Amino acid sequence: MVVVGAGLSGLAAALHLLGAGRSVTVVEREDHPGGRAGRLDLDGFRMDTGPTVLTMPHLLEEALGAVGESVRDRLDLVPLHPAYRAVFADGSAVDVHTDAEAMEAEVRRVAGPREAAGYRRLRRWLGALYRTQIGAFIDADFDSPLDLLSPDLARLAALGGFGRLAPAVGRFVRDERLRRIFTFQSLYVGLPPERALAAYAVIAYMDTVAGVYFPRGGMRTLGAALAGAAERAGAELRYGRAVARLERRGERVTAVVTAEGERIGCDAVVLTPDLDVSYRLLGARPRRPLPLRHSPSAVVLHLGGDRDWPGLAHHTISFGSAWRRTFEEITVEGRTMSDPSLLVTTPTRTDPVLAPDGGHIHYVLAPCPNLRTGRVNWHREARPYRDALVRTLERRGLPGLGDSVRVERTVTPLDWAALGHTAGTPFAVAHTFAQTGPFRPRNLVPGTTNAVLAGAGTTPGVGLPTVLISGKLAAARITGGTLRRPRRRPNGAPASPGAAR
């Protein structure tokens, strides 16, 4: 088996394939594993450049367990308390706890007993949503919309999962601050809360109930841990090799060919790049009634400096006073947020060794339009927008932020596009109704019998937990016989020994 890409989905696929007794080669264009969970080292500041929020660590356990290892063998995960700190334009702050009693007490403190009782009901609803969806809709392949027809579909409908997210959460809590805390996650799937399906409240379950963690050494350690386990289990990882093309014989991929001309024969291939790249390699694009719609992008400031502020937690969400208007600005009008809501991650609060003595890292994420919907000239606007974000945070309680910066890097949609992310967004295809579940691009591609897709663009979707699941589902397509049987040679032998069905 050849896996193209040593991101988290590709490494998860590799581990599950190894656990099923397959021989695996992983081909990666970078000189290190991790994919979107990348790394940036600047003058002793060890910065993560991809996802910063780790939830559902049991999925890491599942991938490592496929080859007889566990999370404790490879990672030191620290549970974050609070999971987030939400700071609002009126100066109030809410610490988001995953412990039910602690969060109920926090809600009572900031919003009163009625809202605390509403939070309890909301928490039960989030748990019911998760239990209904995880096996039937998230950790599952769909080959047809008919696959939706199950008792779980009726349960999801009864829970209100096909309504809209913002009104669904509003049934439980009225305080606008709490509504934002439990709905902002819809940005992960590329939709404002008023348009996202209520079923996506399952992401709020992952963030606010299941718990948020941080691996010592940074998020970069996730790729290193999975890659290390794969190598120990017998996988061959070839770094610094970009895949140029696939050799085919009819409907079968027979080899992966790198830009350096190296040919790697295969019985099956798992492709984890963005969909456009994978489709180009396969020479096939599934027909869809409507073009794929991509999620908004993000501007990220990687700031290394010599200051910290007591109002910051490991993860701090700085909400602007505007809310609905900013969603319209980035998803419809194609411009940056006039009153931005920002995620500020300060990993040195949990792991000081990520910076030189006395130093701190601040990762500032500002949602913005992708390159297809956007009207921003990032060649011209990158530096002014960076300065505007710093001034915004200085006004919101981080005075002197700009002067504290010693090293920095600004990432815009142009940089995401240069990394091969379609439309300049690292968040892949949006989770509109027409791009969800059985309507999302499948991990099988018509016209190819032994290639499977994995990653954020295919099923089940965007996010660190879901890309780990996508790798497992891709491996199951191969080891579980979901792919079509290989054609037989005249003597009756399979076209290739051990070929995937």
Side-chain angles (χ1 to χ4, degrees):
M1 310 294 122
V2 175
V3 178
V4 177
L8 300 185
S9 63
L11 293 171
L15 288 167
H16 287 287
L17 288 168
L18 290 162
R22 302 310 197 265
S23 174
V24 177
T25 299
V26 181
V27 184
E28 168 58 47
R29 68 179 179 182
E30 302 295 338
D31 61 1
H32 58 267
R36 282 178 171 86
R39 59 185 67 179
L40 176 65
D41 295 324
L42 295 175
D43 294 343
F45 292 88
R46 301 168 59 202
M47 302 173 176
D48 293 319
T49 62
T52 62
V53 179
L54 172 60
T55 61
M56 313 299 281
H58 73 273
L59 294 170
L60 291 168
E61 191 75 57
E62 191 174 51
L64 292 167
V67 294
E69 296 201 30
S70 68
V71 166
R72 66 177 178 272
D73 297 329
R74 295 279 176 178
L75 295 164
D76 181 7
L77 298 186
V78 181
L80 299 183
H81 304 295
Y84 296 94
R85 176 167 294 149
V87 181
F88 298 90
D90 63 2
S92 63
V94 180
D95 281 349
V96 180
H97 299 282
T98 53
D99 176 77
E101 292 184 2
M103 187 59 189
E104 183 179 358
E106 180 72 353
V107 172
R108 184 179 292 108
R109 179 186 70 82
V110 299
R114 185 171 67 177
E115 293 294 84
Y119 161 71
R120 278 288 192 176
R121 295 193 300 274
L122 173 61
R123 186 182 177 99
R124 289 194 291 270
W125 179 69
L126 292 174
L129 273 180
Y130 174 77
R131 291 188 295 273
T132 299
Q133 293 186 73
I134 185 61
F137 303 108
I138 299 175
D139 194 357
D141 278 317
F142 291 98
D143 292 321
S144 162
L146 296 177
D147 293 342
L148 281 173
L149 302 179
S150 71
D152 290 300
L153 182 67
R155 283 191 282 270
L156 183 58
L159 288 167
F162 296 107
R164 298 301 170 188
L165 177 60
V169 170
R171 294 199 308 266
F172 300 98
V173 289
R174 297 183 179 180
D175 188 289
E176 179 62 23
R177 295 168 297 178
L178 300 178
R179 291 185 180 191
R180 290 191 188 186
I181 286 170
F182 290 100
T183 61
F184 82 89
Q185 296 87 353
S186 67
L187 268 182
Y188 296 161
V189 298
L191 295 169
E194 287 73 22
R195 296 210 303 267
L197 290 175
Y200 286 118
V202 71
I203 308 174
Y205 171 89
M206 296 175 185
D207 280 359
T208 67
V209 177
V212 177
Y213 298 79
F214 184 74
R216 292 196 187 277
M219 298 290 281
R220 65 177 66 193
T221 61
L222 301 181
L226 297 182
E231 286 187 298
R232 184 178 179 184
E236 181 180 359
L237 276 76
R238 303 186 188 184
Y239 296 111
R241 290 170 170 84
V243 172
R245 61 187 179 87
L246 304 177
E247 284 188 6
R248 296 178 63 117
R249 182 178 301 151
E251 293 187 338
R252 295 185 58 76
V253 176
T254 57
V256 172
V257 182
T258 70
E260 297 76 21
E262 183 179 9
R263 182 185 182 279
I264 309 167
C266 63
D267 293 321
V269 62
V270 178
L271 298 170
T272 70
D274 262 29
L275 288 178
D276 280 1
V277 176
S278 295
Y279 291 155
R280 175 178 58 77
L281 289 171
L282 289 170
R285 179 180 292 273
R287 295 180 181 176
R288 295 183 63 89
L290 295 172
L292 288 173
R293 175 181 168 186
H294 285 76
S295 296
S297 185
V299 170
V300 178
L301 310 185
H302 299 285
L303 308 177
D306 55 12
R307 284 199 60 180
D308 189 18
W309 290 264
L312 291 177
H314 185 111
H315 295 298
T316 304
I317 307 169
S318 175
F319 286 104
S321 57
W323 185 238
R324 293 188 181 185
R325 187 178 79 240
T326 56
F327 285 110
E328 290 296 309
E329 287 169 344
I330 63 175
T331 61
V332 177
E333 298 172 18
R335 59 192 182 96
T336 57
M337 296 179 288
S338 57
D339 184 20
S341 292
L342 308 171
L343 171 64
V344 181
T345 297
T346 307
T348 42
R349 280 199 156 258
T350 303
D351 193 359
V353 302
L354 294 174
D357 288 345
H360 289 279
I361 294 170
H362 306 292
Y363 169 112
V364 181
L365 184 147
C368 72
N370 65 43
L371 293 179
R372 289 185 177 171
T373 60
R375 297 175 176 84
V376 182
N377 183 336
W378 288 111
H379 293 290
R380 186 178 65 237
E381 296 298 328
R383 182 67 191 193
Y385 190 57
R386 174 267 183 206
D387 294 343
L389 292 176
V390 169
R391 289 194 298 270
T392 295
L393 289 171
E394 289 179 330
R395 290 194 303 269
R396 294 181 184 177
L398 306 184
L401 173 62
D403 290 338
S404 75
V405 174
R406 298 293 173 263
V407 296
E408 65 178 290
R409 183 72 56 83
T410 298
V411 178
T412 75
L414 293 178
D415 298 297
W416 298 122
L419 291 172
H421 300 314
T422 304
T425 173
F427 304 116
V429 177
H431 283 260
T432 61
F433 180 79
Q435 296 175 174
T436 295
F439 310 113
R440 195 163 182 81
R442 294 175 63 204
N443 55 11
L444 300 181
V445 180
T448 307
T449 60
N450 66 334
V452 194
L453 306 182
T458 186
T459 187
V462 178
L464 197 153
T466 41
V467 299
L468 290 170
I469 291 173
S470 80
K472 180 179 73 170
L473 294 177
R477 287 288 199 185
I478 295 170
T479 61
T482 311
L483 301 181
R484 268 184 277 167
R485 291 180 181 274
R487 290 187 175 89
R488 296 270 168 175
R489 291 180 178 175
N491 63 4
S496 56
R501 288 191 242 171

